[in-house]
Amino acid sequence: MTGGSSSDDSGMFDRLDAGEPPRSPEEAEARAPYERLLERVRDLEDIAPPAGWEHRAMTRWSVARRTRRRGAALGAATAAVALAAVILLQLCSAPSAPGLELAVVSGSGVTRRGDAAVGDVLQVRTHAGLPHVELRIYLGTALIARCPGNPACRGDASAMQLDWALADAGMYEIVILSSSAAIPAGDGTHDRDLLDAHTAGVQIETRSLKVAL
């Protein structure tokens, strides 16, 4: 479906949702990854997701739709539908062992409780037993910090720490990725990066932090 319009993508997903067969070999190839994700969702046990998941899913869906690019066969528009399946998989899967520790310290050195403020410092620590581990921080949809790879990172793959100055207000998401194989580099966009990581079988743990002015 390379070079097709966003309406072509929409029609493909409408047919997928309705259970209709693909209209071309190209469409069948493009649909295959999403059909596999949907099959995994159908096979999950019936576990009640945590409160508020609908709002978070719709927010990410809206972000992906706003950032889609014409002419991309698997751009943000197509990623939005697959992302919804990824979110369901993450919510319904058994929780992983704790590996992500967060603390917010004010300018006076006091540890905060609840939301943070501009000027605070976010302290992130992670412990993982797999060979490949990455710590990432996103502001909105954009990647702003990554360990390893940032001079502020300390430790190694089994125990990393990052102290990050919160210079901008907004919604931050802290993500720990761990895998026995190499972790996809991603393109620096939150939803695309997490979709690529999930497709590669990477374990994902996330925390959100609201930072006010």
Short mmCIF file of all heavy atoms in Angstrom, two decimals, residues 133-193:
data_model
loop_
_atom_site.label_atom_id
_atom_site.label_comp_id
_atom_site.label_asym_id
_atom_site.label_seq_id
_atom_site.Cartn_x
_atom_site.Cartn_y
_atom_site.Cartn_z
N VAL A 133 18.85 -3.64 28.19
CA VAL A 133 17.95 -2.80 28.96
C VAL A 133 18.11 -1.35 28.50
O VAL A 133 19.24 -0.89 28.28
CB VAL A 133 18.23 -2.89 30.48
CG1 VAL A 133 17.27 -1.98 31.25
CG2 VAL A 133 18.11 -4.32 30.96
N GLU A 134 17.00 -0.66 28.33
CA GLU A 134 17.04 0.76 28.00
C GLU A 134 16.06 1.52 28.88
O GLU A 134 14.96 1.02 29.17
CB GLU A 134 16.70 1.02 26.53
CG GLU A 134 17.83 0.76 25.58
CD GLU A 134 17.59 1.36 24.20
OE1 GLU A 134 16.76 2.31 24.10
OE2 GLU A 134 18.19 0.87 23.23
N LEU A 135 16.46 2.70 29.28
CA LEU A 135 15.61 3.61 30.03
C LEU A 135 15.35 4.82 29.14
O LEU A 135 16.30 5.43 28.62
CB LEU A 135 16.31 4.03 31.32
CG LEU A 135 15.65 5.12 32.17
CD1 LEU A 135 14.31 4.65 32.69
CD2 LEU A 135 16.57 5.51 33.32
N ARG A 136 14.08 5.17 28.96
CA ARG A 136 13.74 6.31 28.09
C ARG A 136 12.75 7.23 28.81
O ARG A 136 11.90 6.76 29.56
CB ARG A 136 13.13 5.83 26.77
CG ARG A 136 14.04 4.92 25.96
CD ARG A 136 13.40 4.50 24.65
NE ARG A 136 14.21 3.51 23.94
CZ ARG A 136 13.89 2.98 22.77
NH1 ARG A 136 12.76 3.35 22.17
NH2 ARG A 136 14.67 2.09 22.19
N ILE A 137 12.86 8.52 28.52
CA ILE A 137 11.92 9.51 29.03
C ILE A 137 11.34 10.26 27.84
O ILE A 137 12.07 10.76 26.98
CB ILE A 137 12.58 10.49 30.00
CG1 ILE A 137 13.17 9.76 31.20
CG2 ILE A 137 11.58 11.55 30.47
CD1 ILE A 137 13.89 10.67 32.19
N TYR A 138 10.01 10.33 27.80
CA TYR A 138 9.30 11.06 26.75
C TYR A 138 8.56 12.24 27.38
O TYR A 138 8.00 12.12 28.47
CB TYR A 138 8.28 10.16 26.04
CG TYR A 138 8.90 9.01 25.28
CD1 TYR A 138 9.22 7.81 25.92
CD2 TYR A 138 9.14 9.09 23.91
CE1 TYR A 138 9.78 6.76 25.22
CE2 TYR A 138 9.69 8.04 23.20
CZ TYR A 138 10.01 6.86 23.86
OH TYR A 138 10.55 5.82 23.17
N LEU A 139 8.55 13.36 26.66
CA LEU A 139 7.70 14.50 27.03
C LEU A 139 6.65 14.62 25.94
O LEU A 139 6.98 14.92 24.79
CB LEU A 139 8.52 15.78 27.14
CG LEU A 139 7.72 17.07 27.40
CD1 LEU A 139 6.83 16.94 28.63
CD2 LEU A 139 8.66 18.26 27.52
N GLY A 140 5.40 14.35 26.29
CA GLY A 140 4.38 14.22 25.26
C GLY A 140 4.70 13.00 24.42
O GLY A 140 4.81 11.88 24.93
N THR A 141 4.91 13.21 23.12
CA THR A 141 5.24 12.09 22.23
C THR A 141 6.72 12.04 21.88
O THR A 141 7.14 11.12 21.19
CB THR A 141 4.43 12.20 20.93
OG1 THR A 141 4.77 13.42 20.24
CG2 THR A 141 2.93 12.20 21.21
N ALA A 142 7.50 13.02 22.34
CA ALA A 142 8.90 13.12 21.90
C ALA A 142 9.86 12.53 22.93
O ALA A 142 9.74 12.77 24.13
CB ALA A 142 9.26 14.58 21.65
N LEU A 143 10.84 11.77 22.43
CA LEU A 143 11.90 11.22 23.27
C LEU A 143 12.86 12.34 23.65
O LEU A 143 13.39 13.04 22.78
CB LEU A 143 12.65 10.13 22.51
CG LEU A 143 13.82 9.47 23.22
CD1 LEU A 143 13.35 8.67 24.42
CD2 LEU A 143 14.60 8.58 22.25
N ILE A 144 13.10 12.53 24.97
CA ILE A 144 14.00 13.60 25.41
C ILE A 144 15.23 13.07 26.16
O ILE A 144 16.19 13.81 26.33
CB ILE A 144 13.26 14.63 26.29
CG1 ILE A 144 12.68 13.96 27.55
CG2 ILE A 144 12.17 15.33 25.49
CD1 ILE A 144 12.11 14.95 28.54
N ALA A 145 15.21 11.83 26.61
CA ALA A 145 16.36 11.26 27.32
C ALA A 145 16.39 9.76 27.13
O ALA A 145 15.34 9.12 27.02
CB ALA A 145 16.31 11.61 28.80
N ARG A 146 17.62 9.22 27.12
CA ARG A 146 17.76 7.79 26.86
C ARG A 146 19.03 7.28 27.54
O ARG A 146 20.08 7.92 27.47
CB ARG A 146 17.86 7.59 25.34
CG ARG A 146 17.90 6.16 24.86
CD ARG A 146 17.99 6.19 23.34
NE ARG A 146 17.51 4.99 22.74
CZ ARG A 146 17.13 4.90 21.47
NH1 ARG A 146 17.19 5.96 20.69
NH2 ARG A 146 16.70 3.76 20.98
N CYS A 147 18.91 6.15 28.21
CA CYS A 147 20.06 5.48 28.82
C CYS A 147 20.09 4.03 28.34
O CYS A 147 19.06 3.35 28.40
CB CYS A 147 19.95 5.48 30.34
SG CYS A 147 20.13 7.07 31.14
N PRO A 148 21.26 3.54 27.90
CA PRO A 148 22.50 4.29 27.74
C PRO A 148 22.40 5.28 26.57
O PRO A 148 21.51 5.16 25.74
CB PRO A 148 23.53 3.19 27.45
CG PRO A 148 22.78 1.95 27.19
CD PRO A 148 21.38 2.12 27.55
N GLY A 149 23.32 6.24 26.55
CA GLY A 149 23.35 7.20 25.46
C GLY A 149 23.33 8.65 25.91
O GLY A 149 23.59 9.54 25.12
N ASN A 150 22.99 8.91 27.18
CA ASN A 150 22.96 10.26 27.70
C ASN A 150 24.09 10.44 28.71
O ASN A 150 24.33 9.58 29.54
CB ASN A 150 21.60 10.54 28.36
CG ASN A 150 21.41 12.00 28.68
OD1 ASN A 150 22.06 12.54 29.56
ND2 ASN A 150 20.51 12.64 27.96
N PRO A 151 24.82 11.57 28.65
CA PRO A 151 25.93 11.78 29.59
C PRO A 151 25.50 11.74 31.06
O PRO A 151 26.33 11.47 31.93
CB PRO A 151 26.45 13.17 29.20
CG PRO A 151 26.02 13.37 27.79
CD PRO A 151 24.71 12.66 27.66
N ALA A 152 24.21 12.00 31.32
CA ALA A 152 23.75 12.01 32.71
C ALA A 152 23.48 10.60 33.24
O ALA A 152 23.19 10.44 34.43
CB ALA A 152 22.48 12.86 32.82
N CYS A 153 23.55 9.58 32.39
CA CYS A 153 23.29 8.21 32.83
C CYS A 153 24.44 7.69 33.68
O CYS A 153 25.61 7.98 33.42
CB CYS A 153 23.11 7.29 31.63
SG CYS A 153 21.75 7.74 30.54
N ARG A 154 24.10 6.89 34.67
CA ARG A 154 25.10 6.24 35.51
C ARG A 154 24.77 4.76 35.64
O ARG A 154 23.61 4.36 35.52
CB ARG A 154 25.14 6.88 36.91
CG ARG A 154 25.47 8.36 36.88
CD ARG A 154 25.84 8.88 38.27
NE ARG A 154 24.74 8.72 39.22
CZ ARG A 154 23.75 9.62 39.34
NH1 ARG A 154 23.70 10.68 38.56
NH2 ARG A 154 22.80 9.44 40.24
N GLY A 155 25.78 3.95 35.92
CA GLY A 155 25.57 2.52 36.10
C GLY A 155 25.79 1.75 34.83
O GLY A 155 26.44 2.20 33.89
N ASP A 156 25.22 0.53 34.79
CA ASP A 156 25.35 -0.33 33.62
C ASP A 156 23.98 -0.89 33.28
O ASP A 156 22.95 -0.44 33.78
CB ASP A 156 26.37 -1.44 33.87
CG ASP A 156 26.05 -2.22 35.16
OD1 ASP A 156 24.85 -2.32 35.51
OD2 ASP A 156 27.00 -2.72 35.79
N ALA A 157 23.96 -1.92 32.40
CA ALA A 157 22.69 -2.47 31.93
C ALA A 157 21.86 -3.11 33.03
O ALA A 157 20.65 -3.22 32.92
CB ALA A 157 22.94 -3.48 30.81
N SER A 158 22.51 -3.56 34.10
CA SER A 158 21.76 -4.23 35.16
C SER A 158 21.23 -3.26 36.21
O SER A 158 20.28 -3.57 36.93
CB SER A 158 22.65 -5.27 35.85
OG SER A 158 23.77 -4.65 36.46
N ALA A 159 21.82 -2.07 36.30
CA ALA A 159 21.38 -1.08 37.28
C ALA A 159 21.74 0.30 36.77
O ALA A 159 22.90 0.71 36.83
CB ALA A 159 22.04 -1.33 38.64
N MET A 160 20.75 1.02 36.24
CA MET A 160 20.99 2.34 35.68
C MET A 160 20.29 3.40 36.52
O MET A 160 19.26 3.14 37.14
CB MET A 160 20.48 2.41 34.25
CG MET A 160 21.35 1.69 33.25
SD MET A 160 20.80 1.94 31.53
CE MET A 160 19.29 0.96 31.53
N GLN A 161 20.85 4.61 36.49
CA GLN A 161 20.23 5.74 37.17
C GLN A 161 20.37 6.99 36.32
O GLN A 161 21.39 7.21 35.67
CB GLN A 161 20.87 5.98 38.54
CG GLN A 161 20.26 7.19 39.27
CD GLN A 161 20.74 7.29 40.71
OE1 GLN A 161 21.12 6.30 41.32
NE2 GLN A 161 20.71 8.50 41.25
N LEU A 162 19.31 7.81 36.33
CA LEU A 162 19.32 9.06 35.59
C LEU A 162 18.63 10.12 36.45
O LEU A 162 17.51 9.92 36.91
CB LEU A 162 18.57 8.90 34.27
CG LEU A 162 18.34 10.17 33.44
CD1 LEU A 162 19.68 10.75 32.98
CD2 LEU A 162 17.46 9.87 32.23
N ASP A 163 19.32 11.23 36.67
CA ASP A 163 18.73 12.38 37.34
C ASP A 163 18.45 13.43 36.26
O ASP A 163 19.39 13.95 35.63
CB ASP A 163 19.68 12.95 38.39
CG ASP A 163 19.87 12.00 39.56
OD1 ASP A 163 19.15 10.99 39.64
OD2 ASP A 163 20.75 12.26 40.40
N TRP A 164 17.15 13.73 36.05
CA TRP A 164 16.76 14.58 34.94
C TRP A 164 16.05 15.84 35.43
O TRP A 164 15.03 15.76 36.12
CB TRP A 164 15.84 13.81 34.00
CG TRP A 164 15.56 14.55 32.72
CD1 TRP A 164 14.43 15.23 32.39
CD2 TRP A 164 16.44 14.67 31.61
NE1 TRP A 164 14.55 15.78 31.14
CE2 TRP A 164 15.78 15.45 30.64
CE3 TRP A 164 17.73 14.20 31.34
CZ2 TRP A 164 16.36 15.76 29.40
CZ3 TRP A 164 18.31 14.52 30.12
CH2 TRP A 164 17.63 15.28 29.17
N ALA A 165 16.60 17.01 35.09
CA ALA A 165 16.00 18.28 35.48
C ALA A 165 14.73 18.52 34.67
O ALA A 165 14.75 18.46 33.43
CB ALA A 165 16.99 19.42 35.25
N LEU A 166 13.62 18.77 35.36
CA LEU A 166 12.33 18.96 34.70
C LEU A 166 12.20 20.44 34.32
O LEU A 166 11.73 21.27 35.09
CB LEU A 166 11.20 18.53 35.64
CG LEU A 166 11.26 17.05 36.05
CD1 LEU A 166 10.24 16.75 37.14
CD2 LEU A 166 11.04 16.15 34.84
N ALA A 167 12.61 20.75 33.10
CA ALA A 167 12.66 22.14 32.64
C ALA A 167 11.37 22.59 31.98
O ALA A 167 11.17 23.79 31.78
CB ALA A 167 13.83 22.33 31.68
N ASP A 168 10.49 21.66 31.61
CA ASP A 168 9.26 22.00 30.89
C ASP A 168 8.05 21.34 31.54
O ASP A 168 8.13 20.21 32.04
CB ASP A 168 9.35 21.55 29.42
CG ASP A 168 10.48 22.22 28.69
OD1 ASP A 168 10.38 23.44 28.43
OD2 ASP A 168 11.48 21.53 28.37
N ALA A 169 6.93 22.06 31.51
CA ALA A 169 5.68 21.49 32.01
C ALA A 169 5.11 20.52 30.97
O ALA A 169 5.41 20.61 29.78
CB ALA A 169 4.68 22.60 32.30
N GLY A 170 4.30 19.59 31.44
CA GLY A 170 3.66 18.64 30.52
C GLY A 170 3.57 17.26 31.14
O GLY A 170 3.85 17.05 32.31
N MET A 171 3.15 16.30 30.32
CA MET A 171 3.04 14.92 30.76
C MET A 171 4.27 14.13 30.31
O MET A 171 4.53 14.02 29.11
CB MET A 171 1.78 14.27 30.19
CG MET A 171 1.54 12.86 30.70
SD MET A 171 1.30 12.79 32.50
CE MET A 171 -0.33 13.56 32.64
N TYR A 172 5.01 13.63 31.27
CA TYR A 172 6.20 12.83 31.00
C TYR A 172 5.84 11.35 31.13
O TYR A 172 5.00 10.97 31.95
CB TYR A 172 7.31 13.14 31.99
CG TYR A 172 7.95 14.50 31.83
CD1 TYR A 172 7.26 15.67 32.14
CD2 TYR A 172 9.26 14.62 31.39
CE1 TYR A 172 7.85 16.92 32.01
CE2 TYR A 172 9.88 15.86 31.26
CZ TYR A 172 9.16 17.01 31.58
OH TYR A 172 9.75 18.26 31.44
N GLU A 173 6.48 10.53 30.32
CA GLU A 173 6.34 9.08 30.47
C GLU A 173 7.72 8.46 30.55
O GLU A 173 8.57 8.69 29.68
CB GLU A 173 5.53 8.46 29.34
CG GLU A 173 5.26 6.98 29.56
CD GLU A 173 3.94 6.51 28.97
OE1 GLU A 173 3.27 7.32 28.32
OE2 GLU A 173 3.59 5.34 29.16
N ILE A 174 7.93 7.70 31.62
CA ILE A 174 9.21 7.04 31.84
C ILE A 174 9.03 5.57 31.47
O ILE A 174 8.12 4.90 31.96
CB ILE A 174 9.66 7.19 33.30
CG1 ILE A 174 9.78 8.67 33.67
CG2 ILE A 174 10.98 6.47 33.52
CD1 ILE A 174 8.52 9.29 34.23
N VAL A 175 9.90 5.07 30.61
CA VAL A 175 9.75 3.73 30.04
C VAL A 175 11.02 2.93 30.27
O VAL A 175 12.13 3.42 30.01
CB VAL A 175 9.45 3.81 28.52
CG1 VAL A 175 9.29 2.40 27.94
CG2 VAL A 175 8.21 4.65 28.26
N ILE A 176 10.86 1.70 30.75
CA ILE A 176 11.98 0.77 30.84
C ILE A 176 11.72 -0.37 29.87
O ILE A 176 10.64 -0.99 29.88
CB ILE A 176 12.19 0.24 32.28
CG1 ILE A 176 13.35 -0.76 32.33
CG2 ILE A 176 10.92 -0.34 32.85
CD1 ILE A 176 14.68 -0.14 32.08
N LEU A 177 12.68 -0.63 29.00
CA LEU A 177 12.58 -1.70 28.00
C LEU A 177 13.65 -2.74 28.33
O LEU A 177 14.81 -2.39 28.57
CB LEU A 177 12.83 -1.14 26.60
CG LEU A 177 11.95 0.02 26.16
CD1 LEU A 177 12.43 0.58 24.82
CD2 LEU A 177 10.50 -0.42 26.03
N SER A 178 13.28 -4.00 28.33
CA SER A 178 14.25 -5.06 28.62
C SER A 178 13.98 -6.25 27.70
O SER A 178 12.83 -6.59 27.40
CB SER A 178 14.17 -5.48 30.09
OG SER A 178 12.85 -5.85 30.44
N SER A 179 15.07 -6.88 27.26
CA SER A 179 14.93 -7.97 26.29
C SER A 179 16.19 -8.83 26.30
O SER A 179 17.28 -8.38 26.67
CB SER A 179 14.70 -7.39 24.89
OG SER A 179 14.66 -8.41 23.91
N SER A 180 16.04 -10.07 25.87
CA SER A 180 17.19 -10.94 25.70
C SER A 180 17.89 -10.68 24.38
O SER A 180 19.01 -11.14 24.16
CB SER A 180 16.74 -12.41 25.77
OG SER A 180 15.75 -12.67 24.79
N ALA A 181 17.22 -9.95 23.47
CA ALA A 181 17.81 -9.60 22.18
C ALA A 181 17.89 -8.08 22.06
O ALA A 181 17.41 -7.35 22.93
CB ALA A 181 16.97 -10.18 21.03
N ALA A 182 18.49 -7.61 20.98
CA ALA A 182 18.65 -6.17 20.78
C ALA A 182 17.28 -5.47 20.75
O ALA A 182 16.31 -6.00 20.21
CB ALA A 182 19.40 -5.90 19.48
N ILE A 183 17.21 -4.28 21.33
CA ILE A 183 15.98 -3.49 21.39
C ILE A 183 15.93 -2.56 20.19
O ILE A 183 16.92 -1.87 19.90
CB ILE A 183 15.93 -2.69 22.70
CG1 ILE A 183 15.89 -3.64 23.90
CG2 ILE A 183 14.72 -1.75 22.73
CD1 ILE A 183 16.03 -2.96 25.24
N PRO A 184 14.81 -2.51 19.46
CA PRO A 184 14.72 -1.60 18.31
C PRO A 184 15.01 -0.15 18.72
O PRO A 184 14.57 0.32 19.77
CB PRO A 184 13.26 -1.76 17.86
CG PRO A 184 12.85 -3.11 18.34
CD PRO A 184 13.58 -3.31 19.64
N ALA A 185 15.77 0.56 17.87
CA ALA A 185 16.16 1.93 18.19
C ALA A 185 14.98 2.88 18.18
O ALA A 185 14.94 3.84 18.95
CB ALA A 185 17.22 2.40 17.21
N GLY A 186 13.98 2.63 17.34
CA GLY A 186 12.83 3.51 17.24
C GLY A 186 13.17 4.81 16.52
O GLY A 186 14.32 5.05 16.13
N ASP A 187 12.17 5.68 16.36
CA ASP A 187 12.38 6.95 15.66
C ASP A 187 12.23 8.14 16.59
O ASP A 187 12.17 9.29 16.13
CB ASP A 187 11.43 7.08 14.46
CG ASP A 187 9.96 7.17 14.88
OD1 ASP A 187 9.67 7.08 16.09
OD2 ASP A 187 9.10 7.33 13.99
N GLY A 188 12.16 7.89 17.91
CA GLY A 188 12.04 8.98 18.86
C GLY A 188 10.63 9.45 19.10
O GLY A 188 10.41 10.46 19.76
N THR A 189 9.64 8.70 18.59
CA THR A 189 8.23 9.02 18.80
C THR A 189 7.62 7.97 19.71
O THR A 189 7.72 6.77 19.42
CB THR A 189 7.47 9.07 17.46
OG1 THR A 189 8.09 10.02 16.59
CG2 THR A 189 6.03 9.49 17.68
N HIS A 190 6.97 8.38 20.79
CA HIS A 190 6.52 7.46 21.83
C HIS A 190 5.73 6.27 21.29
O HIS A 190 6.09 5.11 21.51
CB HIS A 190 5.68 8.24 22.85
CG HIS A 190 5.08 7.38 23.92
ND1 HIS A 190 3.88 6.72 23.76
CD2 HIS A 190 5.53 7.06 25.16
CE1 HIS A 190 3.62 6.04 24.85
NE2 HIS A 190 4.59 6.22 25.72
N ASP A 191 4.63 6.52 20.59
CA ASP A 191 3.76 5.42 20.19
C ASP A 191 4.45 4.49 19.20
O ASP A 191 4.32 3.26 19.29
CB ASP A 191 2.47 5.97 19.58
CG ASP A 191 1.61 6.67 20.62
OD1 ASP A 191 1.85 6.47 21.83
OD2 ASP A 191 0.69 7.43 20.23
N ARG A 192 5.18 5.05 18.24
CA ARG A 192 5.88 4.22 17.26
C ARG A 192 6.96 3.38 17.95
O ARG A 192 7.13 2.19 17.65
CB ARG A 192 6.51 5.13 16.21
CG ARG A 192 7.25 4.41 15.10
CD ARG A 192 6.28 3.88 14.06
NE ARG A 192 6.11 2.44 14.12
CZ ARG A 192 5.25 1.78 13.36
NH1 ARG A 192 4.49 2.42 12.50
NH2 ARG A 192 5.14 0.47 13.47
N ASP A 193 7.71 4.00 18.88
CA ASP A 193 8.78 3.28 19.57
C ASP A 193 8.23 2.09 20.36
O ASP A 193 8.78 0.99 20.33
CB ASP A 193 9.52 4.21 20.52
CG ASP A 193 10.39 5.22 19.77
OD1 ASP A 193 10.47 5.14 18.54
OD2 ASP A 193 10.99 6.08 20.45
#
